[in-house]
Amino acid sequence: MTRKKILGSHVKRLLSGVSDHGKRHLTEVETDLIQTNLLLEEAIEKLSRNFMAIHETVTAQQAAINLLLDGGSPSPEQKAELSALSEQVGTYVNAAVTSMQFQDMTSQLIDRTLKRVTGLREFLGTLGAHGAEMVPDSGSEEIVDLLGKVSMALAIQSLELRSVLRKAVSQKHLESGDIELF
C-alpha cells in the first residue's frame, strides 16, 4: 500500500471513529433527556391527582367538622366516615411523597447526561490537542504515527467513559414496580 493510501485510510478511520463516538453519545444524551421529561410528566400527573384527592377528602372532613361546630351530633356512620377520611388523607399524602421519588431518578439521568457531555468535550479536546501537534510540513510517516496515537488515546477515553456510564438508572416505585432506564 502506498503512503498516500495508508494516510488516507488512517484519516478516514479517525474521522469515522470521532463521528460514531459523537453521534452515539449525543443519541444517549437525547434518550436520557426524553426519559427525564417522561419522569417529570409522570410525577406531576401523580402529584396533581394525589393533591386533588387530598383536597376532596379534607373538604369532606370539613363538612363533618361544620356539623359538629353547629352543635349537631354525628351518626355512627358519619363518625366511621370521618375516621376513614383521616386514613385516606394519610394514604394520599404517602402516595404524593412516593411520587416525588422522581427527583432521585432525574438527578441520576441529569448526572449521566452531564458526564456524557463532559466526556464528549474531553474527547474532542484530545483530538484538538493532538491535531495541534501536527505541523503543515509533516511527512506521511509522522502523520500516520500521530493519527495512530490520536486513535489510541480516543479509544482509551471512549472505553473509560463507557465504563463510567454503564450503570442503569433505577428507582423502585411503590405503586408500579421497578422502573429501569438504560
Side-chain angles (χ1 to χ4, degrees):
M1 211 184 260
T2 66
R3 287 182 187 193
K4 189 174 184 180
K5 286 185 179 181
I6 292 171
L7 180 60
S9 173
H10 279 284
V11 169
K12 180 180 179 180
R13 190 172 345 131
L14 176 65
L15 292 176
S16 292
V18 169
S19 174
D20 291 344
H21 181 83
K23 286 191 293 188
R24 186 172 45 251
H25 281 286
L26 290 175
T27 298
E28 291 296 326
V29 165
E30 180 181 29
T31 299
D32 286 350
L33 291 174
I34 289 169
Q35 290 174 336
T36 301
N37 190 49
L38 291 173
L39 285 170
L40 290 171
E41 286 176 6
E42 176 187 352
I44 289 168
E45 178 186 318
K46 286 180 179 180
L47 286 169
S48 296
R49 190 172 52 243
N50 285 307
F51 285 128
M52 289 306 298
I54 290 169
H55 173 71
E56 290 170 9
T57 305
V58 168
T59 300
Q61 282 180 322
Q62 188 61 45
I65 291 169
N66 287 341
L67 173 69
L68 291 172
L69 291 174
D70 290 339
S73 180
S75 67
E77 294 85 21
Q78 288 173 321
K79 288 179 183 179
E81 183 181 334
L82 191 57
S83 178
L85 290 173
S86 279
E87 289 179 27
Q88 285 179 354
V89 168
T91 300
Y92 293 135
V93 168
N94 285 337
V97 169
T98 300
S99 297
M100 288 189 284
Q101 289 179 347
F102 78 94
Q103 190 275 334
D104 178 51
M105 293 172 67
T106 54
S107 290
Q108 291 177 56
L109 284 167
I110 290 169
D111 183 54
R112 189 168 70 177
T113 300
L114 289 172
K115 285 179 183 174
R116 285 192 185 283
V117 170
T118 300
L120 187 55
R121 183 179 57 240
E122 289 171 0
F123 187 86
L124 294 172
T126 297
L127 183 61
H130 280 80
E133 293 176 19
M134 190 177 298
V135 291
D137 59 345
S138 296
S140 294
E141 288 182 25
E142 292 171 316
I143 294 173
V144 168
D145 285 343
L146 183 60
L147 291 174
K149 289 177 188 175
V150 171
S151 293
M152 183 61 69
L154 295 178
I156 290 168
Q157 274 185 305
S158 182
L159 288 172
E160 288 172 348
L161 182 59
R162 239 185 268 149
S163 72
V164 167
L165 297 173
R166 283 199 201 281
K167 299 174 191 168
V169 175
S170 63
Q171 177 72 40
K172 183 155 182 124
H173 275 248
L174 297 178
E175 297 172 324
S176 60
D178 289 336
I179 294 178
E180 289 191 15
L181 306 171
F182 300 95

